């Protein structure tokens, strides 16, 4: 009975707003009764009521908090001083005069008061319980950033950006907290203005015309980065679980600019610049080659730097015009931009035109109905080079240039391209001249959002989204004198994609005294349609004869059999979330999403993804409040589960083929086609499940002289999907299954910042971020899986990556190179001591995943001048330099060039090409990613011009590394059987250093 009584008293006291600070003792309560109660209202700069603000008498120490209307009541006498504090605003001291007060708070420097975007809504940073980082465009849009994912480089702890190629518009690999899958990749989910994007390609890939096929370009390169307002990275499961089946690799939320309060604005941004290769490979010059060769037959009398021959100084220009206006009931923003970039290799160009319109309008009483529209349209024209990552040792444009004998000439005496008359090595400029690859991609992304206030605090929201792309790629190899499609060929690949989104959800906000509750519940349906066709011609007319095949394919040649495909899949989801806050001290978040996907088996159509998180704002506790050094301090902990559905469509269903090869003469005369089973059905296939724990602390100390966050996470992928050998008597040799293994990623992350100086004329802000990562495979029911296909003479079917228990994903499985003997012959470790060096002597080496990544950013402002510096780096990772393998010492005996370091080591030209640790190199580096110096001018005599900013910028200015390849921050796609490769560098289009001159004019 006594326990029940105490519980009822506690509930009653909570409901009437009782707090320890209200009645510290009987004497204070008696004294308060003799004072006149003061009623006040606390509002923000725009007049919006501020709830949860602390109001404290500096003389009596009495304290109360404002309600949801910003109102408070506190006994106080005339002349008594009150202190009002709330996260996100500067502390305000007021003097009581009369019985009524209205206090307007000023925005403070506290970062915890910032509003951050989360899934299906926004919250103040002080109320966030998950691990997330929000970046504002002004802090990340520096240098040339064609796609939004590149803007994250070095800005967010735990996020690693890898270049698959330095070609303009090429794709990048984004890893958030490690490698979470063997087959399905590690690409996060990107959400643009509330529309989740598909991770499938939206531009056509090129065919293999003897030079390897090239990947499609980056699906995010359609966005004009000048349109981006914020990028928010959701890293832990608590933050990402609201996206369920697609949140296992993290979620990146991108919001674009909308109209802001104030006068109409018009701005023009532009920059022009030049770029060149970040470094050259250290291969032999003509004079060095002559000294190294043993046969004078390999001296052809010329002096050519083939890297200089294919490289050029690239040119880039960007123009962006935007205007916006805010009215009493709505706003709109529109922009138009044009980007032209010539790559640093000849015939590689990227041209993009984008237009964007964001509009918002409100209707009915007190903005009861709000309608928003976001629309982006982009048109991209690209030309590419024949640099396919699927090419073998004889079909790679970059390798032609690097292996070309430097004593050869570009042109012969008749000024025609020199014919090397060799097998598997051709004049690279000649190959470039007979190859033509052009892609056009048109994409429209848009959505309409509507929010209707049904009751105070209760809102219904509707979101209808559309993402439509058409892409056409025309690839031509004209008749030529090589053995690469010598009769010529033309192929047109067309791709169409359409994604539709329909969402309904309700939000409800309730404030009762110190209790704040936010509820979310909704439904989402998304459908993905992809279709493609391909047709071509063989034995086409010579170059510059008649009409080019891309304009008239039927002009000449023999048609090839056309092909095509069409696929669709659907995702139906139910989701809910509750956020609870007590007295701005104790925070709790729980979410649940149920996803049903057509990609999975009949017995596992739905997956359920819960998450829980709690936070404690220690700043509001009495034992912290009186510590002047601590401005904000919050502890966080979370647990959650997310999924990964990035697997091919239809893999749960059986597949059959009718063919004569499987047929039978049932009547002895007529052949009846037989049935071949191509794929075994598995109705039990389900999502890969990622479970993650996260512990974090956010802090601001010494009046913002030190702020940041610390995180520890444990992220485990369970039930990975693999295509593994099937059981006996199965109709196929393999079957898609969830296996009992685990992929474990553990690490520590930190972000530290400081406003070292913050005065009217001088300010200096510095921040540094870093993350550790330990990746381990556990419990796989198979002994090993291979990936990382290696290109080289006689190396067909040889791989460098291995997935096996007890080691990190994508470790290297290669021979150990011990050095050279006195004759320069390779020495390998004979691991099994049998006197024979073969594949049985391979051992496992650490792979591509760095142990530590870091970024450093500095912003210095003196009056109108500003200087920005950004550094990135990593340690503890390795790359397998497949490019160096192809430039091995044995090239000296084959009329080809070689890396200088092998000659300097006195390696023997008779050494065989062998995959070994000789080509495993550290990928440690430190790079000056961006340097920017600008000045903002204001012209009093030109009142119509608000400001004029002129700046210069340098990107990738220098890199400190011992890696012998072009770029240590690279990951060439060399997958095997769908298993992703990690840390392979094969003749990648190199990165560039860029110098820009830019201006921003605001009217």
């Amino acid at each position: 009975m006594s326990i029940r009584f105490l519980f009822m008293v506690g509930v009653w006291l909570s409901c009437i707003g009782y707090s320890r600070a209200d009645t510290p003792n009987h004497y204070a309560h008696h004294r308060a009764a003799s004072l006149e109660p003061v009623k006040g209202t606390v509002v923000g700069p725009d007049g919006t009521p501020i709830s949860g603000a602390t109001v404290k008498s500096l003389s009596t120490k009495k304290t109360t908090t404002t309600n949801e209307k910003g109102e408070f009541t506190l006994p106080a006498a005339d002349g008594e001083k009150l202190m009002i504090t709330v996260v996100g605003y500067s502390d305000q001291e007021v003097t009581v005069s009369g019985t009524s007060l209205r206090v307007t708070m000023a925005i403070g420097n506290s970062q915890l008061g910032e509003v951050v975007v989360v899934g299906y809504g926004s919250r103040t940073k002080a109320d966030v319980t998950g691990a997330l980082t929000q970046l504002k465009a002004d802090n990340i849009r520096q240098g040339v950033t064609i796609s939004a994912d590149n803007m994250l480089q070095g800005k967010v702890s735990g996020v690693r950006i890898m270049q698959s190629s330095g070609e303009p518009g090429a794709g990048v690999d984004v890893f958030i907290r490690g490698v979470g899958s063997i087959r399905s990749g590690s690409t996060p989910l990107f959400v643009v203005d509330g529309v989740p994007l598909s991770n499938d390609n939206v531009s056509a890939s090129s065919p293999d015309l003897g030079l390897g096929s090239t990947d499609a370009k980056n699906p995010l390169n359609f966005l004009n980065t000048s349109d981006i307002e914020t990028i928010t990275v959701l890293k832990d499961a608590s933050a990402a679980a609201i996206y369920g089946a697609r949140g296992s690799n993290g979620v990146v939320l991108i919001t674009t600019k909308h109209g802001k309060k104030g006068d109409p604005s018009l701005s023009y941004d532009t920059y022009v610049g030049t770029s060149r290769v970040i470094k050259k490979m250290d291969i032999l010059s003509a004079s060095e080659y002559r000294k190294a060769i043993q046969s004078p037959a390999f001296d052809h009398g010329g002096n050519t730097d083939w890297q200089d021959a294919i490289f050029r100084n690239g040119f880039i220009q960007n123009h962006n015009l935007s205007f916006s206006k805010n009215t009493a009931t709505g706003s709109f923003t529109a922009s138009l931009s044009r980007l032209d970039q010539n790559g640093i290799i000849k015939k590689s160009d990227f041209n993009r035109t984008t237009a964007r319109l964001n509009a918002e309008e409100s209707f009915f009483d007190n903005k009861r109905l709000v309608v928003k529209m976001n629309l982006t349209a982009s048109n991209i024209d690209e030309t590419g080079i024949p640099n396919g990552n699927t090419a073998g040792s004889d079909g790679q444009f970059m390798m032609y240039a690097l292996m070309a004998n430097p004593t050869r000439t570009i042109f012969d005496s008749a000024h025609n391209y020199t014919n090397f008359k060799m097998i598997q090595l051709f004049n690279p400029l000649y190959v470039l001249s007979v190859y033509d690859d052009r892609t056009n991609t048109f994409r429209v992304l848009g959505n309409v959002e509507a929010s209707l206030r049904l009751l105070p605090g209760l809102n219904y929201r509707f979101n209808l989204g559309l993402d439509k792309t058409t892409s056409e790629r025309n690839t031509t190899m004209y008749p030529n004198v090589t053995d690469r499609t010598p009769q010529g060929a033309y192929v047109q690949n067309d791709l169409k994609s359409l994604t539709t989104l329909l969402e309904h959800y309700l939000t409800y906000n309730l404030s009762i005294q110190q209790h704040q509750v936010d509820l979310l519940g909704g439904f989402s349906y998304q459908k993905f349609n992809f279709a493609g066709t391909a047709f071509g011609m063989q034995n086409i007319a010579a170059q510059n004869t008649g009409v080019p095949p891309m304009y008239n394919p039927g002009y000449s040649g023999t048609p090839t059999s056309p092909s095509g495909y069409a696929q669709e899949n659907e995702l139906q989801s139910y989701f809910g979330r509750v956020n609870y806050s007590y007295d701005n001290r104790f925070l709790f978040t729980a979410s649940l999403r149920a996803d049903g996907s057509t990609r999975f088996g009949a017995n596992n159509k739905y997956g359920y993804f819960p998450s829980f998180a709690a936070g404690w704002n220690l700043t509001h506790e009495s034992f912290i409040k009186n510590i002047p050094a601590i401005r904000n301090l919050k502890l966080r902990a979370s647990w959650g589960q997310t999924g990964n559905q990035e697997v091919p469509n239809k893999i749960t269903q059986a597949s059959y083929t009718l063919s004569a090869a499987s047929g039978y003469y049932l009547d002895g005369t007529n052949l009846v086609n037989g049935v071949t089973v191509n794929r075994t059905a598995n109705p039990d296939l389900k999502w890969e499940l990622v479970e993650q724990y996260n512990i974090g602390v956010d802090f601001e100390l010494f009046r913002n002289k030190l702020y940041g966050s610390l995180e520890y996470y444990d992220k485990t992928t369970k039930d990975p999907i693999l295509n593994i050998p099937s059981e006996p008597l199965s109709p196929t040799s393999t079957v898609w299954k969830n296996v009992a293994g685990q992929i474990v990623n553990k690490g520590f992350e930190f972000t530290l910042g400081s406003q070292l100086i913050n005065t009217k004329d001088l300010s200096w802000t510095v921040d540094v971020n870093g993350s550790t990562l330990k990746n381990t495979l556990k419990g796989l029911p198979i002994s090993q899986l291979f990936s990382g296909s290696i290109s080289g003479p006689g190396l067909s079917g040889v791989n460098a990556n291995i997935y096996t228990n007890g080691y990190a994903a994508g470790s290297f499985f290669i021979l150990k190179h011990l050095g050279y003997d006195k004759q320069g012959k390779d020495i390998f470790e004979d691991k099994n001591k049998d006197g024979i060096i073969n594949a049985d002597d391979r051992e496992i080496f650490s792979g591509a995943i760095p142990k530590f990544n870091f970024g450093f950013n500095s912003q210095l402002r003196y009056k109108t001048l500003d200087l920005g510096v950004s550094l990135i780096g990593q340690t503890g990772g390795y790359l397998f330099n497949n490019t160096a393998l192809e430039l091995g010492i044995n090239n000296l005996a084959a009329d080809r060039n070689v890396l200088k370091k092998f000659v300097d080591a006195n390696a023997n030209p008779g050494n065989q090409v062998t995959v070994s640790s000789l080509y495993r190199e550290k990928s440690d580096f430190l790079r000056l990613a961006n340097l920017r110096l600008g000045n903002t001018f204001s012209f009093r005599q030109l009142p119509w011009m608000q400001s004029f900013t002129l700046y210069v910028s340098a990107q990738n200015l220098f890199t400190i590394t011992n890696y012998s390849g072009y770029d240590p921050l690279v990951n060439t796609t060399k997958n095997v059987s769908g298993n992703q490769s990690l840390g392979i560098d094969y003749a990648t289009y190199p990165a560039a250093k860029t110098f820009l001159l830019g201006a921003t004019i605001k009217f």
Side-chain angles (χ1 to χ4, degrees):
M1 179 65 70
S2 60
I3 295 176
R4 179 181 300 176
F5 176 78
L6 291 173
F7 175 77
M8 294 177 64
V9 171
V11 172
W12 177 73
L13 289 174
S14 176
C15 291
I16 66 173
Y18 172 82
S19 70
R20 290 169 294 174
D22 285 337
T23 57
N25 55 55
H26 177 74
Y27 171 76
H29 178 70
H30 176 74
R31 183 167 183 248
S34 66
L35 299 175
E36 187 74 17
V38 175
K39 295 183 178 181
T41 303
V42 179
V43 298
D46 59 354
T48 304
I50 299 175
S51 63
T54 299
V55 183
K56 180 180 180 180
S57 169
L58 296 180
S59 56
T60 67
K61 308 303 181 184
K62 295 182 182 301
T63 304
T64 188
T65 57
T66 58
N67 61 18
E68 66 275 10
K69 296 181 180 180
E71 301 170 340
F72 70 90
T73 301
L74 185 72
D78 278 353
E80 194 169 326
K81 294 184 182 299
L82 305 181
M83 178 65 72
I84 296 92
T85 58
V86 62
V87 173
Y89 297 88
S90 299
D91 296 349
Q92 183 95 308
E93 182 180 307
V94 297
T95 302
V96 175
S97 177
T99 59
S100 178
L101 285 174
R102 181 178 175 88
V103 183
T104 300
M105 304 294 287
I107 298 295
N109 292 325
S110 172
Q111 297 204 0
L112 294 184
E114 295 180 359
V115 176
V116 296
V117 178
V118 297
Y120 300 99
S122 62
R123 296 185 66 77
T124 64
K125 195 171 182 180
D127 293 332
V128 169
T129 54
L132 60 84
T133 300
Q134 178 168 291
L135 304 174
K136 295 182 178 180
D138 292 340
N139 297 327
I140 56 178
R141 194 174 58 248
Q142 298 177 344
V144 180
T145 50
I146 290 181
S147 64
D149 40 13
N150 266 321
M151 300 172 77
L152 300 174
Q153 184 76 272
K155 306 296 184 182
V156 183
S157 63
V159 177
R160 183 168 176 247
I161 310 295
M162 299 285 291
Q163 291 285 123
S164 61
S165 170
E167 190 173 8
V172 299
D173 296 320
V174 181
F175 298 90
I176 299 178
R177 291 186 167 179
V179 176
S181 180
I182 296 175
R183 287 197 55 88
S184 304
S186 298
T187 304
L189 172 67
F190 291 93
V191 181
V192 179
D193 286 330
V195 179
L197 305 183
S198 168
N199 283 334
D200 294 293
N201 291 330
V202 293
S203 64
S205 58
S206 77
D208 186 351
L209 299 182
L211 301 168
S213 59
T214 59
D215 289 338
K217 296 297 181 70
N218 190 336
L220 280 179
N221 64 22
F222 78 103
L223 275 177
N224 172 19
T225 55
S226 295
D227 286 335
I228 294 175
E229 181 71 29
T230 64
I231 300 179
T232 305
V233 182
L234 311 182
K235 295 189 286 186
D236 74 338
S238 171
I242 197 66
Y243 289 102
R246 291 183 288 170
S248 66
N249 293 321
V251 181
V252 178
L253 307 177
I254 300 172
T255 62
T256 56
K257 294 179 178 179
H258 290 74
K260 297 180 180 180
K261 291 188 176 182
D263 296 331
S265 65
L266 174 66
S267 65
Y268 172 65
D269 297 309
T270 184
Y271 60 76
V272 294
T274 183
S275 56
R276 61 174 183 264
V277 66
I278 198 169
K279 64 174 287 189
K280 290 168 60 178
M281 294 283 282
D282 194 10
I283 53 181
L284 298 180
S285 66
S287 60
E288 292 169 335
Y289 188 83
R290 289 185 174 96
K291 293 178 183 178
I293 57 177
Q294 299 176 352
S295 172
F298 296 157
D299 184 354
H300 302 282
N303 184 0
T304 304
D305 186 320
W306 289 101
Q307 292 185 89
D308 286 347
I310 66 168
F311 291 138
R312 65 182 178 185
N313 287 330
F315 177 75
I316 184 169
Q317 61 175 328
N318 181 72
H319 305 276
N320 182 76
L321 179 67
S322 63
F323 58 94
S324 63
K325 184 177 182 179
N326 190 79
T327 67
T329 58
S331 64
F332 73 88
T333 297
S335 70
L336 180 66
S337 71
R338 173 70 179 187
L339 172 69
D340 294 324
Q341 183 176 10
N342 299 329
I344 57 174
I345 296 180
K346 297 173 180 178
K347 293 187 68 173
S348 59
D349 303 307
F350 180 91
N351 305 286
R352 181 185 68 199
T353 303
T354 61
R356 184 166 191 87
L357 174 63
N358 290 352
E360 177 180 332
E361 189 58 68
S362 59
F363 304 89
F364 309 135
D365 60 296
N366 197 23
K367 300 183 179 181
R368 179 176 294 273
L369 175 64
V370 179
V371 179
K372 299 180 181 179
M373 181 185 71
N374 308 294
L375 181 64
T376 296
S378 73
N379 186 78
I380 298 174
D381 290 305
E382 303 167 90
T383 58
I385 63 172
N387 204 50
N389 55 21
T390 60
S393 62
D394 59 342
Q396 174 62 266
F397 169 76
M398 287 297 299
M399 291 313 308
Y400 294 160
L402 293 173
M403 290 193 298
N405 187 326
T407 67
R408 291 187 181 273
T409 58
I410 300 175
F411 300 102
D412 59 20
S413 58
H415 205 68
N416 296 316
Y417 285 108
T418 302
N419 186 349
F420 291 180
K421 298 181 180 179
M422 296 178 65
I423 298 175
Q424 301 182 352
L425 180 59
F426 318 104
N427 185 328
L429 291 177
Y430 172 70
V431 172
L432 201 60
S433 73
V434 296
Y435 182 86
D436 188 77
D437 184 22
R438 302 170 185 266
T439 306
N440 173 261
T441 303
F442 181 75
R443 187 172 188 179
V444 175
L445 173 69
N447 68 309
V448 175
E449 301 176 81
S451 176
L452 177 64
R453 187 174 70 254
L454 302 175
L455 295 170
L458 179 64
N459 291 275
Y460 161 72
R461 298 179 184 272
F462 168 80
N463 185 20
L464 177 64
L466 177 75
D467 184 6
K468 182 176 176 59
T469 303
T470 59
S471 181
E472 178 183 299
R473 188 163 191 166
N474 294 277
T475 307
T476 307
M477 186 73 171
Y478 288 100
N480 58 83
V481 298
T482 74
D483 60 2
R484 305 289 95 187
T485 318
Q487 301 303 315
Y490 162 78
V491 176
Q492 182 183 117
N493 279 334
D494 295 319
L495 183 149
K496 295 181 180 179
S497 67
L498 174 64
T499 300
T500 52
L501 171 72
L502 177 64
E503 291 179 328
H504 304 271
Y505 54 102
L506 292 170
T507 61
Y508 181 62
N509 305 314
L510 177 65
S511 296
I512 302 177
Q513 300 297 332
Q514 292 98 335
H515 305 276
Q516 176 74 40
V517 179
D518 298 322
L519 301 175
L520 166 72
F523 165 81
S524 177
Y525 171 79
Q526 197 162 10
K527 186 174 183 179
F528 309 89
N529 293 273
F530 295 91
T533 58
F535 68 91
M537 306 291 290
Q538 292 179 335
N539 304 322
I540 63 175
Q543 193 173 16
N544 300 321
T545 301
V547 181
M550 67 175 293
Y551 299 116
N552 184 5
Y555 175 77
S556 66
T558 304
T560 59
S561 297
S563 62
Y565 68 92
Q567 294 186 3
E568 69 177 30
N569 65 284
E570 300 170 84
L571 193 66
Q572 179 174 275
S573 311
Y574 303 89
F575 55 89
R577 181 176 61 209
V578 57
N579 292 304
Y580 170 74
S581 170
Y582 173 72
D583 197 25
N584 288 325
R585 291 186 295 151
F586 302 111
L587 312 171
F588 175 78
T589 301
S591 69
L592 176 66
R593 183 166 180 131
D595 278 320
S597 173
T598 57
R599 285 184 168 177
F600 294 99
N603 299 333
N604 285 300
K605 283 293 183 186
Y606 274 86
Y608 301 91
F609 307 97
S611 76
F612 302 93
W616 183 12
N617 273 322
L618 292 166
T619 314
H620 298 289
E621 300 298 336
S622 59
F623 57 88
I624 295 293
K625 277 185 177 181
N626 297 324
I627 303 177
I630 302 178
R631 186 166 187 170
N632 284 298
L633 183 63
K634 179 174 65 175
L635 298 178
R636 296 180 281 104
S638 69
W639 168 90
Q641 294 180 336
T642 49
N644 188 348
Q645 69 143 14
E646 298 304 318
V647 295
N649 293 323
K650 304 179 182 179
I651 62 173
T652 64
Q653 305 171 24
S655 174
Y656 306 93
T657 299
L658 288 174
S659 66
S662 302
Y664 187 76
Y665 291 91
L666 293 179
D667 57 1
T669 302
N670 297 310
L671 177 65
V672 178
N673 289 339
V675 176
T676 300
V677 180
N678 301 321
R679 185 172 58 230
T680 299
N682 180 8
D684 296 321
L685 193 72
K686 60 182 179 181
W687 280 275
E688 293 184 346
L689 182 68
V690 175
E691 185 174 52
Q692 187 171 178
Y693 299 88
N694 191 91
I695 299 174
V697 57
D698 303 320
F699 56 87
E700 293 182 15
L701 309 175
F702 313 114
R703 293 186 176 272
N704 236 24
K705 294 301 184 202
L706 179 62
Y707 56 85
S709 62
L710 307 174
E711 308 272 356
Y712 172 79
Y713 67 91
D714 186 323
K715 174 183 173 183
T716 301
T717 300
K718 302 178 179 179
D719 304 321
I721 300 172
L722 297 175
N723 191 20
I724 63 174
S726 56
E727 298 178 357
L729 303 182
S730 174
T732 58
S733 60
T734 61
V735 63
W736 290 86
K737 291 185 67 175
N738 297 97
V739 300
Q742 295 183 353
I743 307 169
V744 181
N745 292 279
K746 296 181 180 180
F748 175 77
E749 301 171 355
F750 68 86
T751 300
L752 301 175
S754 176
Q755 288 186 343
L756 298 174
I757 303 173
N758 187 21
T759 65
K760 178 181 178 181
D761 291 335
L762 179 64
S763 65
W764 185 18
T765 300
V766 173
D767 70 75
V768 60
N769 65 81
S771 58
T772 67
L773 175 62
K774 182 179 181 181
N775 177 280
T776 311
L777 300 177
K778 296 181 178 179
L780 288 176
I782 52 180
S783 59
Q784 54 197 19
L785 291 171
F786 297 105
S787 189
S789 175
I790 297 301
S791 297
L795 297 179
S796 177
V798 177
N799 308 307
N801 284 147
I802 187 172
Y803 291 85
T804 189
N805 291 321
Y807 293 90
S811 296
F812 295 124
F813 188 46
I814 51 182
L815 293 174
K816 185 175 184 179
H817 189 269
L818 301 177
Y820 302 102
D821 64 14
K822 293 181 179 180
Q823 287 75 41
K825 294 285 188 179
D826 290 315
I827 304 174
F828 302 102
E829 184 176 53
D830 185 1
K831 191 173 182 181
N832 55 16
K833 309 301 181 183
D834 62 357
I836 301 173
I837 300 298
N838 56 25
D840 295 334
D841 294 304
R842 290 176 295 176
E843 60 180 280
I844 299 175
F845 293 85
S846 297
I849 302 176
K851 292 181 172 58
F852 182 61
N853 289 277
F854 60 90
F856 170 86
N857 303 282
S858 171
Q859 294 290 330
L860 178 65
R861 178 192 60 82
Y862 175 68
K863 293 186 177 180
T864 60
L865 285 169
D866 65 271
L867 174 67
V869 179
S870 177
L871 297 165
I872 60 173
Q874 67 182 36
T875 62
Y878 293 84
L879 289 173
F880 186 88
N881 194 340
N882 197 164
T883 307
L885 180 146
E886 289 244 53
L887 295 172
I889 193 64
N890 61 321
N891 280 1
L892 288 177
D895 202 8
R896 303 166 188 253
N897 208 344
V898 61
L899 276 178
K900 186 175 182 294
K901 69 176 184 177
F902 295 136
V903 176
D904 293 342
N906 295 316
N908 193 308
N911 290 343
Q912 298 297 311
V913 179
T914 305
V915 175
S916 73
S917 61
L918 176 63
Y919 310 106
R920 173 180 173 265
E921 302 182 41
K922 284 188 175 182
S923 61
D924 300 355
F925 75 90
L926 174 66
R927 171 172 293 170
L928 179 55
N930 195 271
L931 179 65
R932 182 186 186 276
L933 176 63
N935 188 65
T936 300
F937 303 90
S938 57
F939 302 97
R940 295 180 180 178
Q941 64 273 28
L942 300 176
W944 48 270
M945 181 182 292
Q946 182 179 346
S947 65
F948 175 79
T949 301
L950 187 68
Y951 65 89
V952 290
S953 174
Q955 193 170 3
N956 298 336
L957 191 58
F958 69 79
T959 302
I960 301 173
T961 183
N962 290 325
Y963 182 63
S964 66
Y966 280 121
D967 188 0
L969 199 61
V970 67
N971 186 48
T972 306
T973 303
K974 302 288 283 184
N975 297 346
V976 175
S977 300
N979 303 324
Q980 65 172 320
S981 61
L982 296 169
I984 309 297
D985 179 7
Y986 180 50
T988 304
Y989 190 117
K993 62 177 64 176
T994 304
F995 301 89
L996 299 177
L997 172 64
T1000 301
I1001 307 173
K1002 294 183 179 180
F1003 302 97

